[in-house]
Amino acid sequence: MEQPNNKAVIVGVNLNDRPDFAYSMEELGNLAQACDIEVAGQLTQNASKINSSHYLGTGKIDELSALAEQVDASTIIFNDELSPSQLRNLESSLQKRVIDRTILILDIFAERARTREAQLQVEVAKLQYMLPRLVGLRESLGRQGGGSGLKNKGAGETKLELDRRRIEERVTALQDELEKLVAQRQVQRKQRRKTGVPVVCLVGYTNAGKSSVMNAVLERYMPDTNKQVLAKDMLFATLETSVRSIELPDNKSFLLTDTVGFVSQLPHYLVKAFRSTLEEVAEADLLVQIVDYSNPEFERHIEVTNTTLKEIGADGVPMIYAFNKSDLTDKPYPLTVENKVYMSVKERAGLESLVGLVKERVFQDYVECEVVIPFSEGRLVSYFNVNANVQATEYEENGTRLRMECKRADYEKFKHLFVDTAVTEA
């Protein structure tokens, strides 16, 4: 049986000498590999603006066609989102399957989505991408024999039969189903808010190590849990939002949330479709941005992450930075400098420093105090043993003396019942 041709040529236009252009092309190659496509060639063009009809200039189109034949590539992948007319014109000129960066990312998301909510979000995004491109995509889909992207072989014929109205009806039905799931998520979020437990969100560029950090924190502070999350060295390994409760030795606890990774030029269809999931980020008490410190482009990754956070309305949430994979650099670690921790999850170095920084930020409303609780209010001793960090207990004539760190709200709530009380440190 003949193997399908999975070779592709990747193409990009370097507009006005973009400083990150070489990296964006490398990333495009990585995205292609994540879709099991072999990158057999690359073509770039320096230009001051994108060609509105063909993305590339006429001469480059001929050069691209010759290169594709030379390397026996069946697919041409473009580094920017193609307009419907560009897609049609390129299909016609090249007589090859033509796709862009957006559909590559959408396809990876479709492949990795596991929960019903993620699957609905990705399908909505793909259909919204397809809607204005139906004419051009008919050629591409017919040639590849399946899927709006690269997976789901055999689904292409079904997609071909979908006219604009049917796609719009499908999007409406999916969004209705999504709304119900979003409502459930909001109820869960409200219930979590009522408990007063702080919410800490891990954010960052894809493959920076967010899931690995979550697993390391679980392993360190919750060794008996079996709630590890998927962590793989690949783009967009995690699409689901995972929430875990972290119980610390001093009776403090917080909810740690792992989120979908960001990437440069993350399709706006996806940001829009995943908005309900990303609301977790906007409503967090603290963001921990995980950075792959070993990547030469780490500053660019921080910039992309911060831009995406702004787009989803999370730019006002306090943030600390965890520079992960420091073991692959020649910089000292573990090290804490202001709101930054330099660490290595792989070596479990700097984990306590990171959690220490989280504690500083989210447990500010605590007081160090010494109180005497009358024996008749013994229930309060039990309460503080569970809900506060009791450092010393002594039994006196008129009650139980506790030296502890507790929530200011708890101290204020019960202080009228104490026989003796002193706040030693605010």
Side-chain angles (χ1 to χ4, degrees), residues 94-157:
L94 296 166
Q95 292 299 300
K96 301 278 182 187
R97 178 174 54 177
V98 172
I99 56 177
D100 60 20
R101 185 188 186 96
T102 297
I103 199 66
L104 261 188
I105 295 173
L106 288 171
D107 212 66
I108 294 170
F109 270 59
E111 180 75 4
R112 307 275 160 80
R114 291 289 174 268
T115 65
R116 179 63 181 156
E117 185 174 10
Q119 288 164 351
L120 288 171
Q121 287 165 329
V122 175
E123 190 178 349
V124 165
K126 285 185 97 168
L127 290 172
Q128 287 173 333
Y129 170 87
M130 283 175 62
L131 200 51
R133 294 172 175 80
L134 283 175
V135 177
L137 281 168
R138 287 180 193 285
E139 296 294 321
S140 186
L141 291 173
R143 190 170 292 113
Q144 78 180 48
S148 61
L150 304 161
K151 310 286 179 186
N152 305 322
K153 301 303 181 201
E157 291 77 11

Side-chain angles (χ1 to χ4, degrees), residues 75-363:
T75 305
I76 316 291
I77 306 173
F78 288 81
N79 194 30
D80 296 286
E81 187 172 306
L82 298 171
S83 69
S85 61
Q86 285 170 339
L87 185 64
R88 285 194 298 273
N89 295 337
L90 286 165
E91 282 272 346
S92 175
S93 299
L94 296 166
Q95 292 299 300
K96 301 278 182 187
R97 178 174 54 177
V98 172
I99 56 177
D100 60 20
R101 185 188 186 96
T102 297
I103 199 66
L104 261 188
I105 295 173
L106 288 171
D107 212 66
I108 294 170
F109 270 59
E111 180 75 4
R112 307 275 160 80
R114 291 289 174 268
T115 65
R116 179 63 181 156
E117 185 174 10
Q119 288 164 351
L120 288 171
Q121 287 165 329
V122 175
E123 190 178 349
V124 165
K126 285 185 97 168
L127 290 172
Q128 287 173 333
Y129 170 87
M130 283 175 62
L131 200 51
R133 294 172 175 80
L134 283 175
V135 177
L137 281 168
R138 287 180 193 285
E139 296 294 321
S140 186
L141 291 173
R143 190 170 292 113
Q144 78 180 48
S148 61
L150 304 161
K151 310 286 179 186
N152 305 322
K153 301 303 181 201
E157 291 77 11
T158 311
K159 296 278 188 265
L160 285 170
E161 293 161 12
L162 282 171
D163 60 13
R164 193 176 302 274
R165 183 179 296 172
R166 287 183 63 191
I167 287 184
E168 286 171 346
E169 286 170 356
R170 176 72 178 149
V171 168
T172 303
L174 291 169
Q175 286 175 330
D176 286 346
E177 192 175 342
L178 259 177
E179 282 300 314
K180 291 171 187 165
L181 291 172
V182 169
Q184 287 172 14
R185 184 185 286 279
Q186 285 170 340
V187 168
Q188 290 168 350
R189 219 164 26 227
K190 276 180 186 171
Q191 287 170 341
R192 289 205 294 267
R193 279 267 165 236
K194 280 181 187 172
T195 66
V197 178
V199 177
V200 178
C201 268
L202 301 175
V203 298
Y205 212 75
T206 182
N207 211 25
K210 293 182 297 301
S211 299
S212 298
V213 167
M214 177 175 250
N215 286 340
V217 170
L218 282 167
E219 181 188 287
R220 169 70 181 79
Y221 295 98
M222 310 286 289
D224 297 330
T225 187
N226 58 354
K227 292 188 174 179
Q228 301 275 302
V229 297
L230 174 69
K232 281 189 180 179
D233 183 17
M234 63 193 224
L235 297 173
F236 302 115
T238 310
L239 294 190
E240 277 67 57
T241 298
S242 305
V243 182
R244 301 288 185 269
S245 179
I246 308 298
E247 312 284 337
L248 301 173
D250 57 4
N251 285 336
K252 292 189 179 86
S253 66
F254 62 90
L255 293 173
L256 188 61
T257 304
D258 184 21
T259 58
V260 62
F262 301 143
V263 70
S264 63
Q265 296 166 265
L266 190 65
H268 66 275
Y269 310 97
L270 270 180
V271 174
K272 192 176 170 186
F274 274 75
R275 187 169 294 279
S276 61
T277 306
L278 296 171
E279 277 173 9
E280 297 278 354
V281 179
E283 294 187 15
D285 295 288
L286 178 71
L287 303 182
V288 179
Q289 185 169 163
I290 310 296
V291 180
D292 177 356
Y293 196 35
S294 69
N295 192 308
E297 296 287 329
F298 77 88
E299 288 178 342
R300 166 77 180 149
H301 291 179
I302 292 172
E303 186 186 319
V304 168
T305 301
N306 289 341
T307 301
T308 310
L309 289 171
K310 189 172 184 180
E311 195 175 337
I312 61 173
D315 50 327
V317 181
M319 181 155 60
I320 60 176
Y321 294 84
F323 288 86
N324 187 28
K325 307 186 188 180
S326 294
D327 53 305
L328 302 176
T329 74
D330 55 4
K331 305 292 192 327
Y333 72 96
L335 180 68
T336 305
V337 182
E338 295 176 344
N339 67 338
K340 302 177 181 72
V341 176
Y342 297 85
M343 61 183 293
S344 165
V345 171
K346 187 180 176 185
E347 297 187 357
R348 299 299 191 258
L351 210 57
E352 282 82 2
S353 303
L354 177 61
V355 172
L357 205 54
V358 168
K359 284 171 65 175
E360 275 179 33
R361 297 299 194 276
V362 299
F363 298 117

